[in-house]
Amino acid sequence: MEFIQRFQLDLMLVMIGVCGILAVMALLTKTLSRKRRHALVALETSVMLLLFFDRLAYIYRGDVSSFGFLMTRVSNFCVFFFSLFMIHAVNLYLADLIRKDGEIYTASKILVAVEALFLAGVILLIVSQFTGLYYTFDEQNRYQRADGFIICYLFPLVMTALQIVVVLRNRQNIRAHIRVPVLLFMIIPYLASIAQIFLYGISLTNLATGGLVIMLYIYALQDLSEVAANANRMKIRYLQEERRKIRNLFEETAEALVSAIDAKDRYTHGHSSRVARYSERIARLAGMSDSECDDVYFAALLHDVGKIGIPDSIINKDGRLTEDEYAVVKRHPEIGRAILANISHTSDLTVGAHYHHERYDGKGYPEGLKGDKIPAVARIIAVADSYDTMTSRRSYRNPIPQAIAREEFVKGAGTQFDPEFAQIMVQLIDQDEDYRMKDNGDFLELSMTKQLHLTEQGFTFSQGALIVDAPTRLRFRAKADPGHSGKESVPVLLLYDSEDKLVHAENERGNTAECTVYGQIRFDGSTSMGSARLISTTHMENGDFSGADAGEDTAPEEYYEAEVVRYRDHIRVRMTGSRLRAEHIVALPYSACFAYVAITGAHCMIDRISVERDHEKIGPGDIPRIAPEIRFDDGPEGDLPNLQIDGYRSDATEGIPLRDSLKLSFHAKSLPMSKLVWHCPFVVLYDAEGGICRGRDYREFALIRFDGEHCPLTDHAVNETRTTRTETFGSWDKWKERNQEGLDCSVKIRRKGNRIITVVDHAGLRTQTVTTVTDEDSPEVFAALTGDLVALTEIRIAR
């Protein structure tokens, strides 16, 4: 208190200046409402004058001159008056604060009462100047409290108490960060006034009021800022909602056009939507922004809108089109551009419709654009459109297997397709392990098949489940059709391989996938061999399977279970039924063959199908061998053992430390079941404990494929690959033929620090890959040979 008493005049002077500045700022603030601005100006001004006259009262206290006599009386009167006027200004501020939609709530009567007390207080203050009711002055011109002094404090205290009641009653209408400082502005001076009664000589109330009014102004500005921010957020939300509505309206309109296209062509239902999804994913992986990806999506969604103008007789023709009919179909890009020309949503709509049949090498239509002259949106749609066209059913063929579609992008990169976007599509295919990127309209996975009605033998099949080195269990219920009990209605397990996992008859119309049947195993224990080398029944317990007599209207239900597992070229099938327990061993043609199991049969209903796969794998010796394994890596060996690779990177040579330079030469031959361009050798650069490929602490730096396909970046290195075709290349078909016949290969690798250059010359393809290792620890680098469906012999190492 001594500090305040000593420096209170200086504190008053500072607060007077601050309040004056805030009053001017409040007057100039245009974002406040007029009434609130006037209330704040009145509040800041009244506190400024209160402190000003309170300071004068202390300065001229005891000054017996005529001027001092006048100033003490004027200043003390003004102190009492502005104390009341300040509360009046707060009243005006509260009235505007709790006002909502032009109406003041129940607080109006209380605020009127505060105004009445303000007028009564002013009247009593004037009366006291003539009667000495509040204070008097002694001979030394010093202020002295009178007997009625307590009355002058009662008015502000009661007025403030009523205002506190107003704030508390209307707390729901006043934001918290304004309500709290307003209450503090009322309560603290209230308490200070009580303390002022006992602390004579210190302007505790006025100093507290000065500090609080500054705080109140700051919070008022903060409240204004938040109101403006809320309004801005509401405006943004409104604009976003409007944009969303416009987008939804546009999307619904686009979908309506797409539905019109689908209605014309029964074979391409859902094509536009799938192309739009694929295109958007390609655009996102290519690094485009969200808005650009949206534009790509809608452009792809409407890319075939021009087909509305193509006659239905051509669109829905069974079989291939004639040259004249194809010429008519080729008009749909121009028709699409004309339809979409007046839509201002984005210019990409017309671009997508007009240019999606252009080829990267300039051999497309309608304008024969080449390379980057084709808009990026159209180049993306061309890739997505081609993929969905290949993997969907058409009037003249079944869907093309995904692996063959992938090969088309590898072969067509830089000719038919933009190489960047073709590579992204290859990555999407590689990530699509469950083959979900397709038209699912006609097929169900075996695990999703709920019911299967089998009529004639060999006409109806479930989709297959891949047979692997972990046991797969099939469970289902079978019920014979009326009049077909006994052995003729027994379910059958079909073991086969197919490029699209589906079973196809030899004469099936439109089939695009090769299908090889290894054999059939019936649930009565009998077997039928196809291309398998041998089927052997190693165990069978057979009970009475006669069932009901033929001709009965009802037949018993049977529950069946089969466990199917393989190790290399042998499959074990364990079958269980209510009348049968059997085990069969099947020897496949080669270890590299894929094998699927499907359910078939005749004259029965199959339901309650479930498929489960164990996590634990089997090993050598778990399946008795009934035929020797056929291998293709027999022959003379070089510096490393010969190697047969039966699947994608299923095996690799031992690691060869890479110092300065390294040359690997060997003989490579694709296995008989190889069909695709990447069924060839690879070389991999890596680091691992002990140099074991894919061993402990494995870090891969580069995978160089001899078909020239650029592999994605790794986490440990950056790769730049350039592939050129020499005069001896010929064509991809010739290239695959040379690999199947077998040829000598060479790999040259040079290393300087963290930079490695690998050069591969193979069957007319020259691939150069520059690998920059980004790991800071300068790791040891090993090279190993691997591949897919290929045998490597006579491997020699030269430094």
Side-chain angles (χ1 to χ4, degrees):
M1 290 298 175
E2 290 182 4
F3 175 83
I4 296 176
Q5 189 170 13
R6 183 178 177 182
F7 294 102
Q8 64 177 340
L9 294 181
D10 295 329
L11 291 174
M12 288 180 185
L13 186 61
V14 171
M15 289 183 180
I16 289 168
V18 173
C19 289
I21 293 171
L22 295 181
V24 174
M25 290 176 62
L27 184 64
L28 298 176
T29 301
K30 300 300 182 183
T31 51
L32 288 169
S33 66
R34 183 176 60 86
K35 290 187 176 181
R36 191 169 301 187
R37 184 168 68 250
H38 290 170
L40 280 176
V41 170
L43 182 59
E44 297 291 342
T45 303
S46 62
V47 174
M48 179 188 70
L49 294 175
L50 170 65
L51 293 171
F52 175 75
F53 285 109
D54 196 19
R55 188 171 184 276
L56 290 180
Y58 277 96
I59 291 174
Y60 289 101
R61 183 171 181 265
D63 186 345
V64 295
S65 65
S66 300
F67 186 75
F69 180 89
L70 176 65
M71 290 305 300
T72 53
R73 282 153 180 78
V74 172
S75 59
N76 278 279
F77 173 82
C78 289
V79 167
F80 281 86
F81 173 78
F82 285 113
S83 296
L84 293 171
F85 188 84
M86 175 188 67
I87 299 175
H88 165 68
V90 172
N91 222 41
L92 297 177
Y93 184 78
L94 282 179
D96 184 72
L97 196 63
I98 64 175
R99 188 184 301 273
K100 186 177 181 181
D101 297 330
E103 297 181 4
I104 299 181
Y105 286 76
T106 56
S108 58
K109 293 182 179 179
I110 299 177
L111 295 178
V112 170
V114 172
E115 290 298 306
L117 288 173
F118 165 67
L119 292 175
V122 172
I123 292 171
L124 279 178
L125 176 60
I126 295 172
V127 171
S128 71
Q129 302 304 302
F130 301 99
T131 61
L133 177 64
Y134 290 166
Y135 57 85
T136 59
F137 297 92
D138 59 15
E139 296 83 1
Q140 299 300 320
N141 198 28
R142 294 178 182 274
Y143 170 88
Q144 299 293 329
R145 291 176 177 175
D147 294 337
F149 171 78
I150 194 67
I151 298 173
C152 72
Y153 276 90
L154 288 177
F155 277 95
L157 291 177
V158 173
M159 292 164 67
T160 302
L162 292 175
Q163 289 177 338
I164 291 173
V165 171
V166 170
V167 173
L168 293 177
R169 283 189 178 182
N170 291 269
R171 58 185 178 275
Q172 300 299 328
N173 297 328
I174 304 175
R175 284 176 289 276
H177 56 275
I178 277 292
R179 183 172 66 248
V180 172
V182 167
L183 287 173
L184 290 175
F185 181 79
M186 296 172 180
I187 294 172
I188 291 178
Y190 196 106
L191 298 175
S193 296
I194 296 174
Q196 185 78 62
I197 297 174
F198 306 100
L199 297 173
Y200 186 73
I202 301 176
S203 293
L204 190 61
T205 303
N206 295 342
L207 288 172
T209 302
L212 289 169
V213 78
I214 295 171
M215 178 193 70
L216 181 62
Y217 181 82
I218 293 172
Y219 275 96
L221 289 182
Q222 182 183 353
D223 176 65
L224 179 65
S225 176
E226 183 166 328
V227 169
N230 287 336
N232 191 47
R233 282 193 292 269
M234 290 178 64
K235 182 178 180 180
I236 291 173
R237 282 198 298 269
Y238 173 79
L239 292 175
Q240 288 175 339
E241 180 65 18
E242 287 299 306
R243 182 180 178 184
R244 186 188 65 81
K245 290 179 179 178
I246 293 172
R247 176 190 167 93
N248 289 345
L249 179 61
F250 180 78
E251 190 167 359
E252 289 170 1
T253 304
E255 291 287 356
L257 285 172
V258 169
S259 297
I261 301 169
D262 288 344
K264 286 180 66 70
D265 189 349
R266 64 179 181 271
Y267 291 105
T268 61
H269 184 80
H271 167 73
S272 297
S273 298
R274 291 191 297 274
V275 171
R277 291 197 302 271
Y278 302 153
S279 298
E280 183 182 28
R281 292 180 66 184
I282 294 171
R284 203 166 296 282
L285 289 173
M288 292 187 175
S289 66
D290 289 343
S291 62
E292 289 173 327
C293 289
D294 284 346
D295 290 343
V296 170
Y297 175 85
F298 285 116
L301 190 65
L302 296 172
H303 76 283
D304 267 346
V305 70
K307 286 187 177 179
I308 291 176
I310 305 300
D312 292 353
S313 58
I314 296 178
I315 292 290
N316 290 306
K317 180 182 178 180
D318 290 331
R320 293 189 176 275
L321 302 177
T322 65
E323 290 186 7
D324 291 340
E325 290 168 337
Y326 185 56
V328 174
V329 171
K330 288 173 67 175
R331 291 170 45 210
H332 80 271
E334 295 286 355
I335 298 172
R337 182 176 67 169
I339 292 173
L340 301 174
N342 293 324
I343 297 179
S344 60
H345 178 79
T346 169
S347 60
D348 289 334
L349 293 180
T350 55
V351 167
H354 191 223
Y355 296 113
H356 69 277
H357 280 295
E358 299 287 356
R359 286 173 53 107
Y360 198 74
D361 58 7
K363 297 179 180 179
Y365 65 90
E367 295 184 9
L369 300 182
K370 184 177 181 179
D372 293 342
K373 291 184 179 180
I374 306 169
V377 172
R379 282 180 272 143
I380 291 173
I381 296 173
V383 170
D385 182 43
S386 294
Y387 174 80
D388 190 71
T389 299
M390 286 188 281
T391 56
S392 300
R393 184 184 296 276
R394 288 295 182 264
S395 60
Y396 51 89
R397 62 159 174 81
N398 285 334
I400 293 174
Q402 192 181 40
I404 295 178
R406 184 190 190 280
E407 184 184 47
E408 290 301 314
F409 288 109
V410 173
K411 292 159 55 176
T415 53
Q416 182 177 355
F417 308 111
D418 181 299
E420 178 188 358
F421 300 137
Q423 179 60 38
I424 292 175
M425 176 54 77
V426 169
Q427 292 178 30
L428 291 175
I429 294 172
D430 291 343
Q431 295 168 8
D432 186 30
E433 295 180 357
D434 297 327
Y435 194 15
R436 299 190 180 278
M437 291 171 54
K438 62 178 178 181
D439 177 5
N440 292 309
D442 298 324
F443 309 118
L444 287 174
E445 299 287 346
L446 178 55
S447 59
M448 297 171 58
T449 306
K450 301 302 181 184
Q451 193 175 75
L452 193 66
H453 189 202
L454 307 175
T455 54
E456 296 295 330
Q457 182 76 41
F459 284 92
T460 307
F461 308 89
S462 71
Q463 190 170 347
L466 181 65
I467 306 173
V468 296
D469 55 359
T472 300
R473 291 181 177 83
L474 312 178
R475 296 183 179 90
F476 58 91
R477 182 180 69 173
K479 183 177 180 180
D481 289 341
H484 293 281
S485 299
K487 288 189 176 182
E488 64 179 357
S489 60
V490 175
V492 178
L493 292 184
L494 183 75
L495 306 180
Y496 70 100
D497 183 21
S498 175
E499 292 173 323
D500 58 2
K501 299 196 298 185
L502 302 174
V503 183
H504 299 283
E506 291 184 4
N507 59 348
E508 181 179 338
R509 179 177 177 271
N511 179 34
T512 58
E514 294 185 17
C515 181
T516 301
V517 176
Y518 300 128
Q520 298 185 25
I521 304 177
R522 293 166 57 90
F523 272 87
D524 61 1
S526 61
T527 63
S528 174
M529 191 165 68
S531 63
R533 287 185 289 150
L534 186 63
I535 298 179
S536 174
T537 302
T538 57
H539 175 78
M540 184 165 65
E541 297 177 20
N542 203 346
D544 180 14
F545 203 83
S546 58
D549 294 334
E552 287 187 3
D553 292 334
T554 60
E557 296 177 350
E558 292 285 344
Y559 288 85
Y560 297 94
E561 179 177 336
E563 180 194 270
V564 188
V565 66
R566 73 175 289 180
Y567 184 77
R568 298 191 65 81
D569 61 340
H570 275 47
I571 294 175
R572 184 185 69 201
V573 181
R574 288 175 175 170
M575 313 177 72
T576 302
S578 60
R579 297 173 175 82
L580 171 75
R581 288 183 179 85
E583 180 178 284
H584 307 274
I585 308 297
V586 180
L588 299 174
Y590 312 108
S591 297
C593 294
F594 280 85
Y596 297 88
V597 58
I599 302 171
T600 185
H603 310 303
C604 63
M605 178 70 73
I606 305 290
D607 61 5
R608 300 188 183 180
I609 301 172
S610 67
V611 182
E612 297 176 359
R613 179 168 291 164
D614 289 354
H615 296 290
E616 187 174 350
K617 298 181 179 181
I618 66 170
D622 288 331
I623 300 179
R625 181 165 285 281
I626 62 174
E629 183 176 8
I630 298 176
R631 297 192 62 83
F632 299 92
D633 56 356
D634 298 331
E637 290 192 350
D639 298 324
L640 296 177
N642 293 343
L643 186 68
Q644 178 172 312
I645 306 166
D646 294 325
Y648 180 77
R649 298 183 65 179
S650 61
D651 207 346
T653 64
E654 64 183 63
I656 307 161
L658 179 59
R659 304 290 185 253
D660 297 328
S661 63
L662 176 68
K663 180 179 179 181
L664 301 175
S665 57
F666 54 93
H667 186 80
K669 183 177 182 179
S670 297
L671 301 185
M673 66 291 305
S674 65
K675 302 181 182 71
L676 304 170
V677 294
W678 58 84
H679 292 160
C680 63
F682 311 158
V683 61
V684 59
L685 306 179
Y686 66 96
D687 181 25
E689 185 176 313
I692 300 173
C693 189
R694 293 190 172 180
R696 187 174 180 182
D697 296 329
Y698 182 76
R699 291 183 290 176
E700 185 165 300
F701 305 126
L703 177 67
I704 297 100
R705 295 162 55 137
F706 285 27
D707 63 347
E709 181 181 334
H710 175 67
C711 295
L713 300 180
T714 72
D715 295 331
H716 309 285
V718 176
N719 292 284
E720 296 179 8
T721 298
R722 185 179 64 186
T723 301
T724 56
R725 299 176 184 180
T726 67
E727 295 178 355
T728 61
F729 175 76
S731 66
W732 280 108
D733 289 336
K734 292 290 185 182
W735 191 86
K736 288 192 287 186
E737 286 178 9
R738 294 178 65 183
N739 278 275
Q740 289 168 347
E741 292 169 357
L743 70 165
D744 293 330
C745 310
S746 67
V747 180
K748 297 177 182 178
I749 309 174
R750 289 184 291 111
R751 178 184 183 186
K752 187 175 182 180
N754 281 359
R755 191 168 185 266
I756 304 167
I757 300 175
T758 305
V759 179
V760 175
D761 287 299
H762 183 75
L765 282 182
R766 181 180 178 86
T767 302
Q768 177 176 297
T769 300
V770 179
T771 303
T772 304
V773 178
T774 56
D775 289 354
E776 297 178 356
D777 55 353
S778 297
E780 186 171 8
V781 178
F782 295 89
L785 294 174
T786 182
D788 190 2
L789 295 184
V790 66
L792 310 179
T793 57
E794 299 184 74
I795 305 171
R796 303 195 180 277
I797 304 171
R799 297 286 183 178

